[in-house]
Each structure stands twice: as structure tokens, then as C-alpha cells.
Amino acid sequence: MSDIGDWFRSIPFITRSWFAASIAVPLVGKLGLINFRNFLLFPELFFNRFQLWRPVTATLFFPITPGTGFLYLVNLYFLYHYSTRLETGAFDGRPADYIFMLFFNWICIVITGLLMNMRLLMIPLIMSVLYVWAQFNKDMIVSFWFGTRFKAHYLPWVILAFNFIIGGSFVDELTGNLVGHLYFFLMFKYPMDLGGRSFLSTPEFLYRFFPNRRGGISGFGVPPSRRPAAQEPAAGGGGGGGRHNWGQGFRLGGE
């Protein structure tokens, strides 16, 4: 048990909190301590009866049955694997930036879920994180099942097909990929590669609650090419531009 405890404590804080909640909430539903329908996202109950907890619980809950258990475990692994690598790699020492990314993706997924009458939001949020990781490391060669190897750029679409085959919803995975693409495009691709204005930035109050930590090794894998600017902002500030260092990415599995 001590080995499990040590492993759990080794998970970075944000991922650890998300991972633990994604185990606890489905377990509560599985044990029948709370009717699982109270966890699902029903637009009419959210808007008409102001059951405002539903977008949160719908993101953390997943029904655990003989038919869905494997899909749940696979996506729980994706959550742990790719969220850990983003939090300790691309967003190392920058918890506020990572929390903002999760919050932006979650808001977009909740809006989509309400419009499209989606009951569960766990897989879309996990896929959005996986998509962002793949974009930061898009030229890295990754290994998947049965020894298949391909560039990480294709990984979200391979996993979309994989989840669909083992019982997932094509809409859930596609929603996650599109939301992850939206975040990456607005935060990095459009302002850095295309020279456009920056539409997204981490709010300053998040830096007050989750200040940047110094001394970490960070990297975003292979960055978008950045157009030269007349004057580069100073590095290491609280918010705004000049915040990210680009570096080495991660190889899928077995780090």
C-alpha cells in the first residue's frame, strides 16, 4: 500500500486532484450512495431548476458497468498519462496557465454538452488535454497498441477511432479534439505562427492563487514558428506574453 501511496503522491497536484475526483465520483455512483442520475448533465434541470453542480459532476462521473468498465479505465489512464506530462512538461512551474487551459476547455465542452444534450463530459475533457499534448509534440514518434508507430500529431484521431471501437461515442472524442484545437489555435498557433492578436490569456488573479514556480524544466515540444517581433517582452513575468519556454517533449509510455 505504501508503494501505491508514494505513486499517488508523486502525481502533480492538479492532475492528482482531477484523477482522484474521477475515481471518487464514479465510485459513489457505483455503490449507490447517490443516484447516478444526479451526476448527469440535463439541460432542463440545469436551466430550469438551477442544478448548477451538474456540469461539474458530469465531467467527473462515468458509469462503471461490465460493458463500460474497460473504456473507463482506458480513459482514466489517458487522463493520468497526458495530464501529468502537460503539467510537468509544457506547463511545468506554471499551474495558473494549466488551470486556465483546463477551465477554458471545460467551459467550451459544457456549452457544447448543453447544446447537444450530452449527458457525460469526462471523455471530451480528457481528449482535449490529449489533443493539446499531441500538438506540442506533433513530430514525435509514438507507439500505440500492437507496435504501431506514428507521429503524435495523429494520436488524437487514432484514439478517437480506438475509443469508438471499444464502446465510446464518436461525438465525445470529436468534441474533445475540436475544443483542444480551439484552445491551441487561439492561445499559440494564431498569435505565434500567424502573427495575429492574442485572444486568450491567463487571468491575473490565477497567478495570485497559483504563482509561477521557479527552477522547473519546462517545454512545449515542437513550437509553432514564431514571427519576429520588434521588441520581445521580458521573460518570467506574472501574466501576458513571453511566458512559455519551448523544449523537449515526451515519448508515449514508459517515461
Side-chain angles (χ1 to χ4, degrees):
M1 291 299 292
S2 62
D3 292 340
I4 296 177
D6 292 342
W7 166 77
F8 182 74
R9 286 187 292 271
S10 71
I11 303 174
F13 174 73
I14 299 171
T15 300
R16 183 168 71 239
S17 301
W18 182 14
F19 183 79
S22 297
I23 294 176
V25 174
L27 186 60
V28 168
K30 178 66 174 178
L31 296 176
L33 301 178
I34 298 177
N35 189 320
F36 76 93
R37 291 181 63 84
N38 290 319
F39 296 139
L40 305 182
L41 183 62
F42 293 100
E44 61 276 11
L45 298 179
F46 176 77
F47 289 115
N48 298 334
R49 298 190 182 181
F50 302 103
Q51 296 182 0
L52 303 181
W53 69 84
R54 288 185 179 273
V56 177
T57 56
T59 305
L60 301 174
F61 177 72
F62 197 86
I64 303 175
T65 68
T68 63
F70 182 66
L71 178 65
Y72 167 69
L73 291 176
V74 166
N75 283 277
L76 195 65
Y77 170 76
F78 290 155
L79 186 164
Y80 158 74
H81 189 83
Y82 294 103
S83 181
T84 294
R85 277 145 185 76
L86 273 183
E87 189 175 350
T88 60
F91 294 91
D92 184 34
R94 300 179 174 87
D97 293 331
Y98 190 54
I99 289 173
F100 176 70
M101 186 206 76
L102 290 176
F103 182 74
F104 174 83
N105 289 2
W106 176 70
I107 287 293
C108 293
I109 289 168
V110 168
I111 293 172
T112 303
L114 291 171
L115 293 175
M116 298 184 62
N117 208 25
M118 297 166 62
R119 300 285 187 254
L120 298 170
L121 307 179
M122 175 184 281
I123 290 179
L125 186 58
I126 294 172
M127 288 297 298
S128 73
V129 169
L130 189 153
Y131 185 94
V132 172
W133 179 89
Q135 290 302 305
F136 288 145
N137 301 273
K138 60 183 180 180
D139 291 325
M140 177 175 294
I141 302 299
V142 298
S143 299
F144 200 58
W145 283 22
F146 307 113
T148 55
R149 294 170 61 84
F150 46 84
K151 288 187 176 182
H153 178 73
Y154 301 106
L155 182 63
W157 308 105
V158 172
I159 292 181
L160 181 150
F162 172 77
N163 273 357
F164 181 72
I165 290 172
I166 65 175
S169 167
F170 181 85
V171 174
D172 288 346
E173 285 79 1
L174 182 61
T175 298
N177 285 355
L178 294 179
V179 168
H181 179 79
L182 178 64
Y183 169 81
F184 187 82
F185 180 82
L186 293 179
M187 180 64 87
F188 302 109
K189 185 71 173 178
Y190 184 66
M192 294 184 179
D193 194 24
L194 303 178
R197 58 171 295 188
S198 178
F199 289 99
L200 295 180
S201 62
T202 304
E204 286 295 332
F205 77 87
L206 282 178
Y207 292 111
R208 292 195 290 269
F209 288 104
F210 304 96
N212 288 351
R213 298 187 303 272
R214 296 183 178 179
I217 300 175
S218 61
F220 277 170
V222 180
S225 58
R226 185 172 185 173
R227 295 192 176 189
Q231 183 176 0
E232 285 289 334
R243 155 173 336 282
H244 307 288
N245 295 325
W246 309 89
Q248 182 67 32
F250 297 90
R251 191 172 302 279
L252 177 62
E255 277 84 346

